[in-house]
Structures are given as structure tokens and as C-alpha cells.
Amino acid sequence: MKTLSFQLLLILVSLISSPNHGVKAKCAFPAIFNFGDSNSDTGGFWAVFPAQRGPFGMTYFHRPAGRASDGRLVIDLLAQALGLPFVSPYLQSIGSDFRHGANFATLASTVLLPQTSLFVSGISPFSLGIQFNQMKELQARSLSLNQSGLPLPSPDNFAHALYTIDIGQNDFTSNLKSIGVAGVIRYLPSVVNQISWTVKELYDLGARNFIVFNLAPIGCYPAFLRQLPHNAWDVDLYGCMVSYNKAVEYYNKLLLRSLSKIRGIVPGANVVYFDKYAVLLGLFQHPKTHGFFYSTKACCGYGGGIHNYNPAVYCGNSKVIKGQNVTATACVDPQNYISWDGIHPTEAANKYVTWALLDGSRSRPAFNFSNFCDLQPIG
């Protein structure tokens, strides 16, 4: 039976509205706290390094909105389905509202502590450990300032919130070109152990509901198809690199095994492994079955061809190449593409991932959100 305080909280959740998305329905999760990289960053990186430009955000926000996509990310769509506002970036000083959670994710973040500077390697300084420390600080400050009227989470929100972790892609890919699959595989156990231990640390802070995303099939991503060394025989009939996807599958098995072990020391918690890999691989392998026209071709890029990706000219940027000023522009129909910029999915692809997340069909153990919330359409 819910406590009186939680019942009152649910009533408040149904009444409080947000400028970007009104809270409409009752849900067992009054807040979302997210940890991740560009796959779930809703503006944290660009709040620190403000420089994002169009055509990012063209589909839903109609302007750059801090997301590495043409529109909403899975974390956005999840929040909408649960009847919650979009999750404010922790690092955004203007306009953030943390009453229904906070997003600690930043573009280019890693699980392991980076050994180099952003300006040297492009890796964000906000690794998973830093994001966890930010979470601890937010919780401590919220509890001490709870009666101040600030837009901070209530004490109950921390215990009943949903904690999502979607990170690890940059650990996997940042050194892949230089040290190869064999080199990367050597430190993957450290990556999954850090993720699982973060679940335990959050549990010790009172968290009880966790969704941990595995890695996507990067062997199908246009950027990696153009940049990573491979032979023609390593490309399958769907246009994806087999060896790199096999390495991702190895990582995902390690993560699944590690999370299974951590469940034994977090009694009473839901620790759910979500197979994002399987959902996206299905889209890349059978795009037309799911309403897409292009699979391994980026919507926003330069160069055309089967991948439309040039590493020298990233989406929205311009550069002089062979004496000519060229710009990586966006397609007019991103809903027909799985890949937005060669590295991240389009909003249309993110919707498929979100639907699978909500119905629990790709979760271990099964976790159907309709058992916990009056789900709202994501549009």
C-alpha cells in the first residue's frame, strides 16, 4: 500500500505542469534521474560549451535544443509517456526544473574516468563517476533546502524515481580505430563493473528502480562504417560490420552478467537490462518493414553515396575542401532515416526504441511500464 505522502505526491504530479510538456497522468515514478552520454543528453554539454547549431532539433523543437538528433531522444519520449516533463539538464543554469528529476548526461561522456582533456580527445570531463557525485550533491542540497520553495525534488521523489543509465558507447568507440577490437575488449570488464557498481551506490542512496541500456550496433552506424578499418568480407548483407557488432555483443553479454550479479546485493530493487542493441539492429536489418527507407545512410551529412558521411564535415558544419566551401546539410525527410548524423538515431528511430522499452519486450527481467503508469501517447 502506498504511504499517504506518496499518494499526495501522485496528486501533485497530476496537477503540476511544465512549459515543455504538461504532467497528465498518475505514475509510480514521480521523477527520472538519468546518467549517460549524447544518446540521452538533453542539453548538459551545450550548456557548458554553448555552440550547437541547426539543423539539430529540426523535427520536434524546430531549433537546436541540446539533443544530438533531429528531435526527441528516448529519455524525452520516456518522460512524455510517463506523463512527466522533459528531464532538465543538471548543468543548465537557466530554466531548469528538478522537481521531476535531473539529467546528468553529457555528450561524449565515458564510464571510465578520462585520462585526457576534452580539447585534446573530444571526451567529456563528466564521466559516470562525476555524474554520480552530481547526483549525490543534488540529493543532499534538495534534502537540506526542501522547504525553500526552489524547483528541487521532494525527499520521496528520490526513493520512488526511475534511474536510467545509458552510457558506454564512447568507452567502446573512442580508441577503437587506434587500438582495434582486441585492445578495446581488454578494458570492457572495467566498464561494465563500474556501471554495476554505480547501481549499487545509487541503491545505497535510496534508489530502487533502474533501467540500464546496453550498447547499440555501432557496426551499422554510417560514421563508423566510414572511419573504422574493415574488409569487404566483414560487411554483412545488411551493410553492417560483423566484427564490430560481435564485439558490442560481447560487451552486452558482460553487462547482462554483471547486472545479474549486482541484483543479489540490492534486495528489493528492480534492476532492468534493456536490449537497445536488438531493437536498433532490427531496424538496420529490416528498415522497410518498420517504415524506414534508409538504414546505413545518414540524414544529416556530406558526401552522398550509401553513407552520406564525411568525418571532415560534421552535421551542420561547413569546411573548405579542395578549394570549395561545403556544408553538411540535413535531408528533408528524417522520418525515413534510422541514422540522423551518422552517430545518433533520428527521432523516428528513437520512437521504436522507446516503444520496446515501454512494453518490456526487450527487457530482462520483463518490465512493462503499463503495470506502473497510465502511459501517455508519445506522438
Side-chain angles (χ1 to χ4, degrees):
M1 180 178 292
K2 298 181 178 70
T3 64
L4 178 60
S5 60
F6 189 50
Q7 289 175 330
L8 291 175
L9 178 61
L10 289 177
I11 294 172
L12 288 174
V13 167
S14 68
L15 294 176
I16 297 172
S17 61
S18 169
N20 52 24
H21 183 73
V23 179
K24 297 178 180 179
K26 290 184 178 181
C27 184
F29 310 115
I32 300 174
F33 295 100
N34 180 68
F35 305 82
D37 52 30
S38 58
N39 291 302
S40 59
D41 181 3
T42 54
F45 183 88
W46 297 113
V48 179
F49 306 101
Q52 193 184 39
R53 64 189 71 181
F56 286 90
M58 60 180 280
T59 296
Y60 184 84
F61 301 97
H62 307 298
R63 58 176 176 78
R67 279 90 167 156
S69 182
D70 61 305
R72 292 164 292 180
L73 309 180
V74 173
I75 189 67
D76 294 315
L77 296 162
L78 174 61
Q80 289 187 306
L82 301 188
L84 297 173
F86 292 142
V87 187
S88 291
Y90 179 75
L91 297 173
Q92 181 176 279
S93 60
I94 301 174
S96 287
D97 186 335
F98 301 124
R99 286 174 294 180
H100 296 284
N103 192 352
F104 304 97
T106 63
L107 179 150
S109 286
T110 53
V111 173
L112 302 179
L113 188 69
Q115 302 299 311
T116 182
S117 164
L118 170 74
F119 303 103
V120 175
S121 64
I123 296 298
S124 168
F126 302 104
S127 63
L128 182 58
I130 300 299
Q131 294 179 26
F132 171 72
N133 286 336
Q134 291 172 338
M135 171 67 199
K136 286 200 299 184
E137 177 70 8
L138 176 63
Q139 185 180 48
R141 295 294 295 274
S142 296
L143 295 178
S144 66
L145 299 172
N146 186 247
Q147 303 301 319
S148 65
L150 297 173
L152 298 172
S154 73
D156 280 344
N157 278 17
F158 290 102
H160 297 289
L162 181 68
Y163 291 77
T164 53
I165 301 176
D166 188 1
I167 193 170
Q169 183 169 310
N170 296 307
D171 296 87
F172 190 95
T173 62
S174 60
N175 295 316
L176 197 49
K177 186 175 182 179
S178 59
I179 67 177
V181 168
V184 170
I185 283 177
R186 284 197 291 269
Y187 62 77
L188 293 183
S190 298
V191 175
V192 299
N193 288 340
Q194 182 62 49
I195 290 175
S196 292
W197 192 247
T198 300
V199 169
K200 173 60 168 62
E201 291 183 302
L202 288 167
Y203 176 87
D204 291 341
L205 292 180
R208 291 297 182 269
N209 298 290
F210 303 91
I211 304 288
V212 182
F213 292 64
N214 69 6
L215 292 190
I218 62 103
C220 301
Y221 281 23
F224 301 121
L225 282 162
R226 282 296 313 276
Q227 295 183 87
L228 295 178
H230 61 281
N231 298 310
W233 53 260
D234 192 32
V235 178
D236 63 21
L237 58 89
Y238 305 107
C240 300
M241 297 180 292
V242 176
S243 60
Y244 293 103
N245 277 351
K246 288 293 184 184
V248 173
E249 290 173 5
Y250 170 73
Y251 168 88
N252 289 341
K253 288 178 182 178
L254 289 178
L255 179 62
L256 178 61
R257 189 179 309 137
S258 183
L259 292 175
S260 297
K261 291 180 180 178
I262 209 71
R263 289 190 191 99
I265 59 174
V266 290
N270 290 309
V271 181
V272 178
Y273 166 94
F274 175 63
D275 195 355
K276 176 174 65 174
Y277 176 93
V279 181
L280 287 172
L281 185 64
L283 297 186
F284 281 116
Q285 292 181 342
H286 306 288
K288 293 184 179 179
T289 301
H290 297 93
F292 295 92
F293 191 80
Y294 303 99
S295 57
T296 58
K297 182 177 182 177
C299 165
C300 186
Y302 171 75
I306 60 173
H307 298 134
N308 190 37
Y309 183 87
N310 187 320
V313 195
Y314 184 55
C315 174
N317 292 338
S318 299
K319 190 172 184 178
V320 176
I321 297 181
K322 296 181 180 179
Q324 290 188 328
N325 188 51
V326 299
T327 301
T329 57
C331 63
V332 296
D333 56 342
Q335 72 277 6
N336 290 324
Y337 289 73
I338 299 168
S339 176
W340 161 243
D341 56 1
I343 303 172
H344 307 97
T346 58
E347 177 181 283
N350 283 330
K351 285 183 180 180
Y352 271 89
V353 175
T354 307
W355 288 328
L357 174 61
L358 291 171
D359 68 24
S361 61
R362 292 295 182 176
S363 297
R364 300 186 196 176
F367 193 84
N368 191 324
F369 275 87
S370 64
N371 294 330
F372 301 88
C373 304
D374 297 332
L375 295 180
Q376 303 298 296
I378 57 180

